[in-house]
Amino acid sequence: MEEVDGNVVLARALKEQGVEFVFGIVGFPVIELGMALQTAGIHFIGMRNEQAACYAAQAIGYLTGNPAGCLVVSGPGLIHAFGGMANAQVNCWPLIVIGGSAPQDHEGIGGFQETVPTQVELARPYCKYSARPASLKLIPMHVEKAVRLSKYGRPGVSYLDFPGNMLAARISSNEIPAQYTSPELPLILPNPQSIEDAIKLLMGAERPLVIVGKGAAYARAENEVVDLIESTNLPFLATPMGKGVVSDNSSKNVGPARSLALQKADVVLLLGARLNWILHFGREPRYAPDVKVIQIDIIAEELNNSIKSAVAIQSDLKAAVSQIVEKLKLKRFNFGNEKQWWKQLKMKCDGNRKGVQASAMDTSTPLNYYTVFHHIQEILPKNCIIVSEGANTMDIGRTMLLNDLPRHRLDAGTFGTMGVGLGFAIAAALYCRYYEPTKKVVCVEGDSAFGFSGMEIETMVRYKLPIVIIIVNNSGIYSGVDKELYEEIQSSGEITKVTPPTTLNYSTKYETMMHMFNRKGHFCQTVSEIQDALKESLNVTDGPSVINIIISPTADRKPQTFAWLTESKL
């Protein structure tokens, strides 16, 4: 009979459970595992940093609904991945992390990259499931469980630990028990009475609002949600990654009047979103003191979190929204444009749009954020996947770079993680290559955010991933300083005492990184330079492009009714 080692057993088990992509960095003791994965028919993408590898793997999980793997070496390799694991767990995205570890006979005596406590225990706070198979025979069972738990209920992270001696051990293939593949996700249907209660609240509302979160995108509930909005004429707004579930261009989108909509709504229907910091916890002063929230979530523990919901429904989103739509149609419910609430929202939207438009038309140099994004939006191909991260870059870009389809925006997410951008972009480009080859990926980064994982450009070149990277460069974190002040700081004898903590090097020429690969980068200071560079970059099909756009170091977002982050009152 065929004799195989632990690497082959593990690789075959992952393939049998439907894992198609693994991202990582090989080294002792997982070099041979990387090769075994490819032999098993799995795409292996070698990255430059474990965090970026983990970000890429989880983004594949979000885009496809099926987890990818992140392969890391023992000790520091796994610890570097914890940032990505925490991000996936908080974002509720499926992910399998596979860690090599010190040989078992070296444990307790200071083995190479040995961790104490074990890696299984170190990983546990960032996982739904963390385990080390006790033998080669049990590897398929643990892989099945890891994949299943990453997808079932609220998606999240599974960690599997493999000591070097286990990966090198050998076994006859006929000794490995056959393992079933993970069954389809169980369907959770809503309580019929809760649906009736939700219908009654919506129909009696004077100022209703629908909030669409990324959970609606992950649940593939876009058809049902669009049907709800279009058939009822209810106003909606989306969380950052909920954009595109219903088109940003919909006349029912009241995103430009977000503060007013949240503060004055009397009934809020929450679809695939949580009342965390992104939605200001559902509390005053961002919401009316008597607001009634209809909450739909797949996990019971999330219901009534932060506030007591008027109606709390545990259900798959598609099933619940489908039933709500059906019943509202039977009752011929339509929230007409003549309603005072619609008039208030539209007036606020129109006013805010005019203010943004005025900023966007200012082409004086150095440019501002609104001008940059407005003129990028004019050139972007329809329905490209937009990856965005940074402070103002991400927040202003969310309002200016539009999405018509779900799962076409990836950003820092619930954990607010900086450094995700290039890993997410790599995942998006691979997703497009194998699932939607006509789509483009555009990664819009602040200069600070780009610095977290800039060397992943080499990964993009190696795998010929046609990603357009746009760096909106304000020479700082949140803000920088102008050239004259920067030069004055540089001439100081106490440079570490006088350089503002938010300051980065003035107008760094990040685009020259492309010269390392004998490729062209673009340095832009005017609107025409930006649009010419973007048009040229979108025609590149065999690797990444970098467009470095210099803007004013003091450029900022428009004044807001509330600060973007709700402050603690304790």
Side-chain angles (χ1 to χ4, degrees):
M1 295 299 295
E2 178 191 24
E3 189 176 67
V4 295
D5 63 14
N7 297 299
V8 173
V9 176
L10 175 55
R12 290 178 178 176
L14 289 165
K15 181 67 174 176
E16 287 168 358
Q17 296 302 328
V19 175
E20 296 292 337
F21 297 89
V22 173
F23 303 79
I25 300 176
V26 298
F28 179 83
V30 296
I31 296 173
E32 292 80 6
L33 178 54
M35 300 175 185
L37 292 167
Q38 291 178 312
T39 301
I42 293 173
H43 301 286
F44 179 80
I45 300 91
M47 304 282 284
R48 300 304 301 267
N49 179 281
E50 287 92 354
Q51 279 193 25
C54 210
Y55 297 142
Q58 65 195 257
I60 286 284
Y62 173 67
L63 291 169
T64 68
N66 200 50
C70 175
L71 177 63
V72 298
V73 301
S74 51
L78 175 62
I79 291 169
H80 288 171
F82 284 163
M85 293 168 69
N87 189 71
Q89 188 72 355
V90 173
N91 250 4
C92 309
W93 289 357
L95 169 69
I96 310 295
V97 177
I98 302 150
S101 59
Q104 288 163 297
D105 57 333
H106 291 181
E107 290 180 347
I109 56 174
F112 175 66
Q113 295 183 333
E114 179 191 0
T115 62
V116 180
T118 66
Q119 293 182 180
V120 172
E121 295 307 314
L122 284 175
R124 202 176 299 281
Y126 312 105
C127 296
K128 293 178 69 177
Y129 180 64
S130 183
R132 173 193 287 180
S135 68
L136 296 186
K137 294 180 180 180
L138 292 176
I139 289 175
M141 183 194 78
H142 282 279
V143 169
E144 185 281 326
K145 187 172 183 180
V147 170
R148 174 163 43 87
L149 293 188
S150 76
K151 296 191 294 184
Y152 274 31
R154 172 157 287 160
V157 184
S158 293
Y159 173 69
L160 292 176
D161 191 69
F162 294 93
N165 61 299
M166 177 177 287
L167 293 174
R170 303 187 71 81
I171 187 174
S172 295
S173 58
N174 66 329
E175 295 182 50
I176 302 170
Q179 182 64 39
Y180 58 82
T181 55
S182 293
E184 290 297 314
L185 296 177
L187 178 64
I188 300 175
L189 297 175
N191 181 328
Q193 184 57 55
S194 296
I195 294 294
E196 292 293 342
D197 293 342
I199 295 293
K200 184 178 180 181
L201 268 183
L202 284 171
M203 293 187 67
E206 294 183 4
R207 299 179 302 280
L209 177 67
V210 178
I211 300 178
V212 182
K214 73 173 179 292
Y218 184 81
R220 273 61 180 171
E222 54 265 25
N223 292 338
E224 290 77 10
V225 176
V226 168
D227 196 9
L228 170 70
I229 298 301
E230 293 300 325
S231 65
T232 63
N233 199 48
L234 287 168
F236 82 94
L237 57 83
T239 65
M241 275 189 280
K243 282 163 54 70
V245 172
V246 184
S247 172
D248 285 340
N249 290 299
S250 168
S251 61
K252 283 81 171 175
N253 179 14
V254 295
R258 184 179 191 272
S259 293
L260 173 67
L262 293 179
Q263 193 178 24
K264 299 298 184 181
D266 61 352
V267 173
V268 170
L269 174 59
L270 199 62
L271 303 179
R274 290 170 283 174
L275 292 176
N276 53 26
W277 67 274
I278 292 176
L279 291 176
H280 316 292
F281 315 108
R283 299 177 182 177
E284 297 181 74
R286 297 298 192 116
Y287 293 78
D290 57 350
V291 66
K292 295 178 174 60
V293 175
I294 303 165
Q295 186 181 13
I296 304 173
D297 203 282
I298 198 168
I299 294 296
E301 288 81 355
E302 186 62 35
L303 300 174
N304 301 300
N305 191 34
S306 182
I307 66 167
K308 185 179 186 300
S309 298
V311 182
I313 305 171
Q314 183 187 12
S315 174
D316 281 277
L317 199 63
K318 286 169 68 78
V321 175
S322 176
Q323 291 187 27
I324 289 173
V325 171
E326 181 183 357
K327 291 181 181 296
L328 287 175
K329 284 181 177 180
L330 287 173
K331 295 177 183 293
R332 301 183 184 277
F333 172 73
N334 184 277
F335 194 76
N337 289 324
E338 75 283 357
K339 300 280 190 180
Q340 187 62 30
W341 180 227
W342 259 125
K343 293 177 181 178
Q344 290 178 331
L345 291 170
K346 287 180 177 177
M347 182 180 298
K348 189 67 173 178
C349 284
D350 291 342
N352 286 344
R353 286 192 183 104
K354 287 178 182 177
V356 169
Q357 187 70 10
S359 296
M361 291 298 102
D362 177 7
T363 59
S364 61
T365 58
L367 299 170
N368 68 68
Y369 286 103
Y370 295 91
T371 300
V372 168
F373 290 131
H374 172 77
H375 290 91
I376 287 173
Q377 177 64 38
E378 288 186 330
I379 304 295
L380 283 184
K382 186 174 177 61
N383 295 330
C384 62
I385 294 181
I386 299 171
V387 181
S388 181
E389 69 166 331
N392 291 336
T393 298
M394 181 175 65
D395 294 336
I396 299 172
R398 172 175 55 85
T399 66
M400 302 286 290
L401 303 178
L402 305 181
N403 296 99
D404 287 328
L405 296 176
R407 300 174 296 281
H408 279 60
R409 177 183 162 92
L410 301 170
D411 69 19
T414 312
F415 210 32
T417 307
M418 289 297 101
V420 298
L422 299 193
F424 282 4
I426 288 169
L430 286 164
Y431 170 82
C432 290
R433 174 178 290 176
Y434 294 107
Y435 298 100
E436 297 193 58
T438 61
K439 286 196 184 298
K440 296 288 187 179
V441 176
V442 178
C443 180
V444 185
E445 300 271 299
D447 50 326
S448 171
F450 176 77
F452 280 82
S453 53
M455 276 311 299
E456 295 301 337
I457 287 178
E458 188 275 332
T459 307
M460 299 175 186
V461 171
R462 192 170 3 118
Y463 293 106
K464 298 183 177 181
L465 300 175
I467 298 163
V468 179
I469 301 169
I470 301 174
I471 302 170
V472 184
N473 187 347
N474 72 343
S475 305
I477 305 169
Y478 298 106
S479 62
V481 297
D482 62 34
K483 184 177 181 180
E484 290 74 19
L485 180 54
Y486 181 78
E487 290 174 348
E488 183 180 333
I489 289 169
Q490 287 286 295
S491 65
S492 168
E494 293 286 354
I495 192 168
T496 55
K497 290 184 179 179
V498 299
T499 302
T502 60
T503 299
L504 299 175
N505 190 64
Y506 184 78
S507 294
T508 301
K509 294 198 170 183
Y510 296 106
E511 79 285 350
T512 61
M513 291 179 69
M514 295 305 294
H515 298 172
M516 296 186 293
F517 313 105
N518 296 316
R519 290 169 176 262
K520 179 182 177 182
H522 303 270
F523 182 80
C524 302
Q525 295 176 289
T526 66
V527 166
S528 61
E529 289 172 344
I530 292 169
Q531 293 198 325
D532 289 345
L534 184 52
K535 290 174 184 176
E536 183 177 334
S537 297
L538 287 168
N539 287 322
V540 176
T541 60
D542 64 344
S545 302
V546 174
I547 302 172
N548 184 22
I549 302 173
I550 304 302
I551 68 168
S552 169
T554 56
D556 203 354
R557 71 186 79 191
K558 287 175 60 60
Q560 297 171 294
T561 305
F562 291 97
W564 68 273
L565 183 64
T566 301
E567 299 297 332
S568 171
K569 303 303 179 187
L570 299 179

